[in-house]
Amino acid sequence: MSDKEKVFPRLTRRGLLKGGAAVAGGVVGLGGFPYINRLAVRAQETPLKFWQFYAPGGPVASQVEWFEKTVADWNDSHPQKIELEFIPNSEYISGPKLATAFASGEGPDIFIISPGDFLRYYNGGVLKDLTPFIDEAAKADFPESVIANRMVDGKIFGIPMEVEPMAMYYSVKAFEEASLNENDVPKTWEELLEVAKKLTTPERFGVMFETQPGYYQNFTWYPFLWQGGGEFQTADGKSSFDSPATVQALKFWQDAINSGAAPRQIMGAGGHDTIANLASGYVAMQNVGIWGISQLQSNAKDFPYGVFRLPTPPNGKYVTVGGGWAFVANAKGRNSDAAGEFCAWALASMDQGSVDRVATWCTKGKSDMPPRNSALKAGGGAFSTGMIGKFAEEIHPGTRAEPRVPPEVYKIISDAIQQTQLGGADPQATATAASQQLDAFLSSYQGAPIL
């Protein structure tokens, strides 16, 4: 058995397709993709496909406009054309469409991935090295904390378009109905559950954490692990998941469900959807990221809400997680050099157009913290006023980068969260069993470093 077969034992197209929705859940690793470029490189008049879940046809007009303008500007000035292909968020993130497309040899030329799914595609040989298309000044413009989890051996394989810290959003109306105000914003886990119970009514839950398994749920749970000093891996690559910090983080989410203050069922597109959950009145407080600002501004403009930092456990330390999507190019696509050039042109050039493009995405297209120092400067006052200013000043300083893990590690952690949050399993026993599984996998893992 080859080294690659040892690391990625489930590589058949049949196995990937059989996994169905589980593909996105990390059950199947995508190492050893079949040859993606099975056909000869086509002529430049054939557009490169750019898969993402924003445009055309996305739910937020400002984001649709940004993507369409970005691609139109490229097409106006380059012989190799690019065509946007919209994949609904539910299929792109939670469904198998992207993974199975690569497994069948039909992967897009350009797509976007989060840090959590980086190793699935890097270890699978899919990602194009973008370093040759980025000059040194542009590389230095990305803080190490933002770019490190998109790099391997000093090479850049993904260019981030945003940094998205997590926080708690709350309905001002719900607070008022419960005779609460901004002075009652919880600062500890215990206070959060107490306030959530006060906000809970027969028609509304007091607080919401993601309940659907997936990379997003793991992403939103990590801060609660870190706040108590927990990690899932030691510096020498062994599991550290069996710890008091892990147990209390699992128990906290379990307690929220068991108290009746948090729902088992999420509305709309998922826990990242503020419109279907918070603005609709389904929940009074929601654990969600900075993108919620643009969602509410676009689709619930008159909804009054507030934002506060993630509460902390006893003797804990404030920390949140910063995710964000990155442009990547298919290394075996129809014109991988043009795809790589596009990614760098769009997001990682020192040309003012590229800098402004990133700043515009983070202030007008969406609501995010910028991944580049120059874009932060170009955004000016947008990052010091309003809700984005609140994130910049109060929430973002405690940001830690989203971990990148292989699908097998993701799945072990995901199962532990699900078993305790919704299944009622004992948090200590679950943490111990998960840690043993992690150790078994990590002892033979041979892919790019887990960060």
Side-chain angles (χ1 to χ4, degrees), residues 10-55:
R10 299 168 293 231
L11 306 180
T12 65
R13 178 174 183 266
R14 179 182 179 186
L16 283 165
L17 295 176
K18 184 179 180 181
V23 174
V27 175
V28 181
L30 293 189
F33 287 103
Y35 286 106
I36 296 166
N37 190 16
R38 295 177 300 178
L39 303 175
V41 176
R42 297 178 180 178
Q44 286 186 337
E45 59 264 20
T46 302
L48 302 182
K49 297 291 186 179
F50 183 5
W51 282 20
Q52 32 65 50
F53 45 82
Y54 291 106

Side-chain angles (χ1 to χ4, degrees), residues 205 207-209 211 256-257 260-266 282-283 421-422:
F205 289 95
V207 68
M208 191 186 81
F209 300 107
T211 62
I257 295 288
R264 304 173 69 90
Q265 174 98 26
I266 304 298
Y282 181 64
V283 298
Q421 183 191 31
L422 301 181

Side-chain angles (χ1 to χ4, degrees), residues 26 50 67 92 104 139 159 163 181 187 191 194 201 204 227 240 258 273 311 314 350 359 388-389 405 407 414 451:
F50 183 5
F67 268 89
Y92 196 96
S104 62
K139 292 177 191 175
I159 303 175
V163 178
N181 57 46
K187 296 180 174 60
E191 291 174 356
E194 289 176 356
T201 71
R204 181 183 66 218
Q227 286 179 353
S240 58
N258 289 346
D273 185 343
M350 290 310 296
I388 293 182
V405 299
S414 176
L451 299 178

Side-chain angles (χ1 to χ4, degrees), residues 40-49 74-75 78-83 109 334-335 338:
V41 176
R42 297 178 180 178
Q44 286 186 337
E45 59 264 20
T46 302
L48 302 182
K49 297 291 186 179
W74 165 273
N75 288 342
H78 294 80
Q80 175 63 70
K81 307 307 178 186
I82 293 173
E83 182 177 280
D109 302 287
R334 288 168 294 177
N335 188 345

Side-chain angles (χ1 to χ4, degrees), residues 60 63 162-169 216 271-276 278-279 286-301 303 305-307 365-369 387-388 391:
V60 181
Q63 295 166 13
E162 59 199 7
V163 178
E164 298 186 311
M166 294 290 294
M168 298 298 301
Y169 287 58
Y216 178 73
H272 50 82
D273 185 343
T274 57
I275 306 303
L278 186 69
Q286 182 175 350
N287 178 216
V288 73
I290 190 172
W291 62 86
I293 298 172
S294 61
Q295 285 183 350
L296 293 167
Q297 176 65 27
S298 297
N299 298 307
K301 194 170 185 178
F303 175 73
Y305 70 97
V307 175
K366 206 173 177 182
S367 50
D368 288 318
M369 295 305 300
M387 283 297 179
I388 293 182
F391 264 88

Side-chain angles (χ1 to χ4, degrees), residues 92-113:
Y92 196 96
I93 297 177
S94 303
K97 190 172 182 69
L98 183 64
T100 53
F102 277 107
S104 62
E106 299 296 334
D109 302 287
I110 304 160
F111 56 111
I112 62 175
I113 57 173

